Amino acid sequence: MKIKFSEKIISSKCLKDINDIIKSGWLTHGKYTTLFEEKFRKFTNSKYSLTVSSCTAGLHLSCLAAGFSKGDEVIVPAMTHTATSHAIEYTGAKAIFCDVDSKTGNLTIENLKKKISKKTKGIIIVHMNGKPCDLDGIKNFCNKKKIKIIEDCAHALGTRYKKKHVGNFGLSGSFSFYPTKQITTGEGGMIITNNKTFFNNIKKLKAFGIDKEIGERKKPGEYDVKLLGYNYRMTDFQSCLGLSQLKYYKKFLSKRQKIAKRYHQNFKGNQQIQQLDFSKENSYFIYPILIKNRDKLVKFLKRVNIGFSIHYPKIIPQMSYYKNKYKLKKKSYKNAIDYAKKNISLPVYPTLNNKQVDYISKKILNFISNEK
Ligand SMILES: Cc1ncc(COP(=O)(O)O)c(C=O)c1O
């Protein structure tokens, strides 16, 4: 049996719509972008939403609109994708890496407190693998210290904390639609926010800093530019692709959770596999397990044709760019390093059936018993 790590379901209706958009010549600024933003806003129950060319772009715009700049420090987990810390560094602010919880890979208050200084202006939190961070604790602490919160929700479409969708707890939440994510637009992302001023800022920053939208211009090209903005737009055929998947996402989210529950049941009681408690708040971007001899398991899964991934095998402060720039000590990131050594991501896409989930589980359990 060969099992992929990730699979997308694109309807024939969506493919036809994309074909029509491309043929129409109206490839960007179209109705699908507006519709996708509208449906996403409803799905996440936020006041404003904005498509962007990637989650990285969303995080960058969020850091700019939050006012981070040279001389500021912004805290970020050591266990994340490099996009999270890059977004801070693009603004001239300094990324301050913080250790994480060894079981979840999420940032914790205890570790956060160790990194606060007079220069701390903000924090970017990451809901690793779809598990929400301790948002009450983080929010309470950051509000007291006047620290701005930005949420990296790249893994977290469908993740809730106390019934509220993540991305609504700070200034903004940025989502990713990279092909392995819960829904995809090829490359692409979405920012959500509940702050009108912030929204107006990111909207201008996303499109060159131009002060008038196409519909507001008396003649083509009649606008002013008051800001050094970017071109971080999403095309209309990408929006069409995202919109069609979002329509089915509620159903797919519950399928992802059923698969996660099945893995949880299958691995329960095994002392060699560390897994989190099952939770309906988790959107299960992937199913993470922690295992001591992870690299041997990687070789084994390749041999038996089972798709997997690792989120992530190396902590960001150890990447050459940051290592050379900040010369950070490994001992400050003990938990993140341990997590990087042990984590492995199992597939949870909605077309995976019970037989496949049981097959993956059985192969892993057999591998473990042979390793003893
Ligand atoms: C946690 C995290 N943040 C940000 C990103 C960047 O997303 P994008 O590829 O949409 O820019 C990723 C990408 O995988 C990610 O995993």
Side-chain angles (χ1 to χ4, degrees), residues 32 59 83 114 140 234 275 312 335:
Y32 284 98
L59 291 170
K114 291 182 197 157
N140 264 334
M234 179 185 277
Q275 60 177 349
Y312 298 92
N335 291 347

PDB file of all heavy atoms in Angstrom, residues 32 59 83 114 140 234 275 312 335:
ATOM      1  N   TYR A  32     -14.228  36.686  -7.108  1.00  0.00           N
ATOM      2  CA  TYR A  32     -13.925  35.532  -6.258  1.00  0.00           C
ATOM      3  C   TYR A  32     -13.076  35.932  -5.048  1.00  0.00           C
ATOM      4  O   TYR A  32     -13.195  35.339  -3.981  1.00  0.00           O
ATOM      5  CB  TYR A  32     -13.231  34.426  -7.067  1.00  0.00           C
ATOM      6  CG  TYR A  32     -14.209  33.680  -7.941  1.00  0.00           C
ATOM      7  CD1 TYR A  32     -14.352  34.008  -9.286  1.00  0.00           C
ATOM      8  CD2 TYR A  32     -15.019  32.688  -7.415  1.00  0.00           C
ATOM      9  CE1 TYR A  32     -15.274  33.339 -10.079  1.00  0.00           C
ATOM     10  CE2 TYR A  32     -15.948  32.021  -8.208  1.00  0.00           C
ATOM     11  CZ  TYR A  32     -16.068  32.352  -9.534  1.00  0.00           C
ATOM     12  OH  TYR A  32     -16.988  31.699 -10.306  1.00  0.00           O
ATOM     13  N   LEU A  59       2.061  37.952   7.602  1.00  0.00           N
ATOM     14  CA  LEU A  59       2.791  38.225   8.848  1.00  0.00           C
ATOM     15  C   LEU A  59       3.624  39.495   8.706  1.00  0.00           C
ATOM     16  O   LEU A  59       3.714  40.305   9.642  1.00  0.00           O
ATOM     17  CB  LEU A  59       3.687  37.030   9.199  1.00  0.00           C
ATOM     18  CG  LEU A  59       2.972  35.739   9.615  1.00  0.00           C
ATOM     19  CD1 LEU A  59       3.946  34.571   9.693  1.00  0.00           C
ATOM     20  CD2 LEU A  59       2.266  35.916  10.965  1.00  0.00           C
ATOM     21  N   ALA A  83       9.401  31.564   8.346  1.00  0.00           N
ATOM     22  CA  ALA A  83       8.589  32.719   7.940  1.00  0.00           C
ATOM     23  C   ALA A  83       8.199  33.576   9.150  1.00  0.00           C
ATOM     24  O   ALA A  83       8.112  34.802   9.042  1.00  0.00           O
ATOM     25  CB  ALA A  83       7.323  32.237   7.243  1.00  0.00           C
ATOM     26  N   LYS A 114      10.804  34.904  30.412  1.00  0.00           N
ATOM     27  CA  LYS A 114      12.276  34.969  30.447  1.00  0.00           C
ATOM     28  C   LYS A 114      12.839  35.873  29.363  1.00  0.00           C
ATOM     29  O   LYS A 114      13.998  36.262  29.409  1.00  0.00           O
ATOM     30  CB  LYS A 114      12.859  33.560  30.247  1.00  0.00           C
ATOM     31  CG  LYS A 114      12.618  32.628  31.410  1.00  0.00           C
ATOM     32  CD  LYS A 114      13.295  31.296  31.111  1.00  0.00           C
ATOM     33  CE  LYS A 114      12.726  30.220  32.029  1.00  0.00           C
ATOM     34  NZ  LYS A 114      12.887  28.881  31.483  1.00  0.00           N
ATOM     35  N   ASN A 140      -3.537  37.678  28.851  1.00  0.00           N
ATOM     36  CA  ASN A 140      -3.473  38.376  30.144  1.00  0.00           C
ATOM     37  C   ASN A 140      -2.123  39.015  30.364  1.00  0.00           C
ATOM     38  O   ASN A 140      -2.023  40.200  30.695  1.00  0.00           O
ATOM     39  CB  ASN A 140      -3.669  37.353  31.285  1.00  0.00           C
ATOM     40  CG  ASN A 140      -5.098  37.345  31.718  1.00  0.00           C
ATOM     41  OD1 ASN A 140      -5.790  38.346  31.564  1.00  0.00           O
ATOM     42  ND2 ASN A 140      -5.553  36.222  32.239  1.00  0.00           N
ATOM     43  N   MET A 234      -3.492  38.421  -4.115  1.00  0.00           N
ATOM     44  CA  MET A 234      -3.773  37.057  -4.577  1.00  0.00           C
ATOM     45  C   MET A 234      -4.554  37.185  -5.890  1.00  0.00           C
ATOM     46  O   MET A 234      -5.397  38.083  -6.013  1.00  0.00           O
ATOM     47  CB  MET A 234      -4.624  36.341  -3.534  1.00  0.00           C
ATOM     48  CG  MET A 234      -4.998  34.930  -3.917  1.00  0.00           C
ATOM     49  SD  MET A 234      -6.117  34.184  -2.712  1.00  0.00           S
ATOM     50  CE  MET A 234      -4.948  33.631  -1.496  1.00  0.00           C
ATOM     51  N   GLN A 275       1.963  11.249  22.512  1.00  0.00           N
ATOM     52  CA  GLN A 275       0.962  11.969  21.721  1.00  0.00           C
ATOM     53  C   GLN A 275       0.146  12.850  22.654  1.00  0.00           C
ATOM     54  O   GLN A 275       0.118  12.645  23.872  1.00  0.00           O
ATOM     55  CB  GLN A 275       0.073  10.990  20.955  1.00  0.00           C
ATOM     56  CG  GLN A 275      -0.694  10.010  21.819  1.00  0.00           C
ATOM     57  CD  GLN A 275      -1.622   9.096  21.008  1.00  0.00           C
ATOM     58  OE1 GLN A 275      -1.845   9.324  19.836  1.00  0.00           O
ATOM     59  NE2 GLN A 275      -2.169   8.086  21.659  1.00  0.00           N
ATOM     60  N   TYR A 312       9.213  20.733  13.143  1.00  0.00           N
ATOM     61  CA  TYR A 312      10.265  20.912  12.165  1.00  0.00           C
ATOM     62  C   TYR A 312      11.521  20.211  12.675  1.00  0.00           C
ATOM     63  O   TYR A 312      11.673  20.087  13.891  1.00  0.00           O
ATOM     64  CB  TYR A 312      10.528  22.411  11.952  1.00  0.00           C
ATOM     65  CG  TYR A 312       9.274  23.108  11.396  1.00  0.00           C
ATOM     66  CD1 TYR A 312       8.363  23.679  12.276  1.00  0.00           C
ATOM     67  CD2 TYR A 312       9.019  23.130  10.033  1.00  0.00           C
ATOM     68  CE1 TYR A 312       7.206  24.287  11.781  1.00  0.00           C
ATOM     69  CE2 TYR A 312       7.864  23.743   9.534  1.00  0.00           C
ATOM     70  CZ  TYR A 312       6.965  24.308  10.411  1.00  0.00           C
ATOM     71  OH  TYR A 312       5.822  24.891   9.937  1.00  0.00           O
ATOM     72  N   ASN A 335      13.952  22.518  25.161  1.00  0.00           N
ATOM     73  CA  ASN A 335      12.697  21.835  24.816  1.00  0.00           C
ATOM     74  C   ASN A 335      12.475  21.824  23.304  1.00  0.00           C
ATOM     75  O   ASN A 335      12.048  20.820  22.744  1.00  0.00           O
ATOM     76  CB  ASN A 335      11.490  22.533  25.468  1.00  0.00           C
ATOM     77  CG  ASN A 335      11.484  22.352  26.958  1.00  0.00           C
ATOM     78  OD1 ASN A 335      12.220  21.528  27.490  1.00  0.00           O
ATOM     79  ND2 ASN A 335      10.660  23.128  27.643  1.00  0.00           N
TER      80      ASN A 335
END
